[in-house]
Amino acid sequence: MAVSGHKSLQFGLYWTTDAIYAALGIAVMYEVFHTVFSGLTRITWFRFIYPVVVTITIILAILFTVNAPAAAHQHAFVHWILAAEIGVRIIQVGIFVLLVTFVLLFGLRWRQPAFGISAGFGIYSTIALLAFTKYYEIGTKFLLPWNVLSVASYNLAVLIWLWYFIGPRVPDRPRAGHPPLSARDLEQYKEVLRKVRRP
Amino acid sequence: MTSSALIYVLWYFVITAGFVACVATLALIWFRFPERSVNDVVDFLLPVDLEKLEILLDPETEITLRSRLSRDEFRKLQRKRIHLCISLFRRMAHNAAVLVDWANAEADSKDTHTAELARDLQQIAVGVRLYCLTTLFKLRFWQLVRLESWSFFSIPSLGAAREIRGVRGVEYYDRLKSAASFLFLERTEGRFEELMQNL
């Protein structure tokens, strides 16, 4: 509201914050990835998944931007900020798909805040990408459905985040450094347990 | 295929993957097992004959069989051995999934010791499942292309599935049994022998 009278200032401010939002989006997804998969980072190939996803996304976003009609935006930097935003959306969908795959394959916990954050962003980004594509294909006739879809999907994402954060939070406990359990440990443990429980 | 067509395909692939992930998440929430407790473990496990698996994966046994049987006889036998291996690995993967689910629930325990044991179990069970699924993928591929039937390829060795990326399957499953026993004994005294039989 403070800059509503200054069109150029409003324009600059909007697109600058949009660029910052895109950068923060990548950081958030990195945090989510790191939190959920911290236990699997010992597997060598796993460490490369996030950089690979980001690299593929950047390539896809660049290719899309280069191929997209430039006339849609008079300013080149707006064109590239939009490309970055699309890139972030693709990363969000990619990480969400990856998380769902790992939850289904390995039984990783789905009821954890990191998964909720990713699900919210993933669903919003999937719908946003579809709406964006249709807008490009159909044109301004799709403006109203685009706006409705964007607002509805963002509200859905907010509801998902609320649902995830309403539940009780389990505090993160530091992991013990020792390697867990051998058969001999088990025998000793059973013996101790028998003695303790014996009346 | 032109580059724009490739981008178009990739673009829709991302969007479709996002929607599939949304549906999978809904299915996951809808069909999930209600909070798994210690009482919901033993009955859901499938017995695994680890000694049999060890013999199947033993390279020396395989060398002996190769030397004693004709190529055709060994080819037929190897196909049966691959089927048996798949059956055992499926059971192991299933058990690992049940234990991950249980460990996920126990990891929220207010008792620090129980939570730590649950997290150990989680870590090992995910490792076992990763190993089993990777091995199953490999064995299924052998089945698909009937690798043992091609005269210009050597008959695949099951010994190659013994260790995948430094993880020795049978030993790792033994650790899983220990980890499950530790947590089980921490939570209840009854049905321990049954747990051991079913694992």
Side-chain angles (χ1 to χ4, degrees):
Chain A
M1 282 177 74
V3 292
S4 59
H6 309 83
K7 263 195 167 178
S8 58
L9 185 62
Q10 193 182 10
F11 180 83
L13 204 63
Y14 176 82
W15 287 110
T16 309
T17 49
D18 209 45
I20 295 168
Y21 178 74
L24 287 175
I26 296 177
V28 167
M29 292 326 283
Y30 177 74
E31 273 300 310
V32 167
F33 183 84
H34 187 71
T35 307
V36 177
F37 297 119
S38 56
L40 295 174
T41 45
R42 286 175 308 142
I43 303 164
T44 321
W45 57 267
F46 219 88
R47 290 178 213 147
F48 299 107
I49 285 184
Y50 193 78
V52 167
V53 169
V54 171
T55 311
I56 292 170
T57 304
I58 289 168
I59 293 167
L60 195 62
I62 288 171
L63 287 173
F64 187 81
T65 310
V66 169
N67 280 277
H73 296 286
Q74 290 169 341
H75 302 272
F77 76 94
V78 171
H79 204 57
W80 285 103
I81 290 172
L82 269 176
E85 209 179 310
I86 290 166
V88 173
R89 297 274 168 266
I90 297 173
I91 290 174
Q92 286 168 345
V93 175
I95 297 295
F96 174 52
V97 171
L98 198 70
L99 274 178
V100 172
T101 308
F102 276 82
V103 166
L104 291 174
L105 281 180
F106 303 121
L108 297 179
R109 306 181 66 174
W110 62 275
R111 194 77 170 98
Q112 57 173 313
F115 186 79
I117 293 168
S118 175
F121 275 124
I123 291 166
Y124 168 63
S125 297
T126 305
I127 297 171
L129 282 176
L130 182 70
F132 179 79
T133 314
K134 289 292 154 200
Y135 183 64
Y136 253 70
E137 284 173 2
I138 298 168
T140 48
K141 278 183 191 168
F142 196 70
L143 191 60
L144 183 66
W146 183 26
N147 285 332
V148 171
L149 268 177
S150 296
V151 172
S153 57
Y154 194 78
N155 283 330
L156 180 64
V158 171
L159 286 175
I160 290 168
W161 292 329
L162 281 174
W163 186 59
Y164 267 89
F165 286 99
I166 272 172
R169 294 290 307 274
V170 181
D172 288 336
R173 298 184 179 94
R175 284 199 64 79
H178 61 82
L181 322 168
S182 68
R184 214 175 116 206
D185 288 340
L186 177 66
E187 284 308 317
Q188 287 175 347
Y189 187 77
K190 274 161 67 181
E191 196 53 43
V192 170
L193 215 69
R194 271 187 216 114
K195 283 176 189 165
V196 170
R197 285 179 178 166
R198 202 169 287 154
Chain B
M1 191 186 267
T2 60
S3 64
S4 57
L6 183 69
I7 295 163
Y8 187 81
V9 170
L10 278 173
W11 190 259
Y12 272 97
F13 174 76
V14 172
I15 294 171
T16 311
F19 276 109
V20 170
C22 294
V23 174
T25 306
L26 284 175
L28 182 81
I29 294 167
W30 191 256
F31 293 108
R32 78 197 156 93
F33 190 88
E35 195 84 344
R36 196 181 286 277
S37 75
V38 68
N39 301 317
D40 308 314
V41 177
V42 175
D43 295 329
F44 291 88
L45 296 172
L46 300 171
V48 178
D49 192 338
L50 273 187
E51 281 175 26
K52 196 171 275 176
L53 183 68
E54 199 146 20
I55 293 166
L56 280 168
L57 301 180
D58 181 30
E60 283 177 22
T61 311
E62 206 165 72
I63 290 168
T64 313
L65 287 170
R66 263 180 212 266
S67 62
R68 287 187 184 169
L69 300 170
S70 70
R71 192 180 161 85
D72 267 1
E73 284 172 331
F74 182 66
R75 187 178 293 152
K76 276 179 194 161
L77 180 69
Q78 192 69 333
R79 192 156 181 80
K80 286 179 186 172
R81 280 160 47 91
I82 290 171
H83 272 276
L84 184 56
C85 251
I86 286 174
S87 155
L88 291 169
F89 278 122
R90 281 178 65 179
R91 282 163 175 255
M92 285 163 72
H94 167 85
N95 289 350
V98 171
L99 293 176
V100 170
D101 199 24
W102 175 42
N104 283 343
E106 297 288 359
D108 291 348
S109 170
K110 283 176 185 159
D111 178 55
T112 322
H113 188 55
T114 305
E116 198 165 307
L117 287 173
R119 289 172 66 145
D120 281 347
L121 177 61
Q122 255 178 346
Q123 198 182 334
I124 297 170
V126 168
V128 167
R129 205 162 152 78
L130 182 64
Y131 165 80
C132 290
L133 293 178
T134 314
T135 315
L136 275 171
F137 181 77
K138 197 174 180 176
L139 297 179
R140 288 281 188 212
F141 177 73
W142 289 355
Q143 274 191 328
L144 180 75
V145 296
R146 285 184 170 256
L147 206 59
E148 78 288 349
S149 305
W150 299 85
S151 53
F152 45 88
F153 284 125
S154 62
I155 300 167
S157 163
L158 279 174
R162 190 182 176 85
E163 187 178 322
I164 289 189
R165 296 196 172 268
V167 176
R168 292 173 78 90
V170 177
E171 283 172 23
Y172 216 60
Y173 193 79
D174 234 11
R175 282 178 69 194
L176 176 72
K177 284 174 83 167
S178 303
S181 313
F182 269 49
L183 185 61
F184 197 84
L185 287 170
E186 187 68 27
R187 300 292 287 118
T188 182
E189 286 174 65
R191 303 189 75 188
F192 178 71
E193 296 305 322
E194 250 184 288
L195 174 85
M196 286 289 96
Q197 276 169 15
N198 286 4
L199 266 175

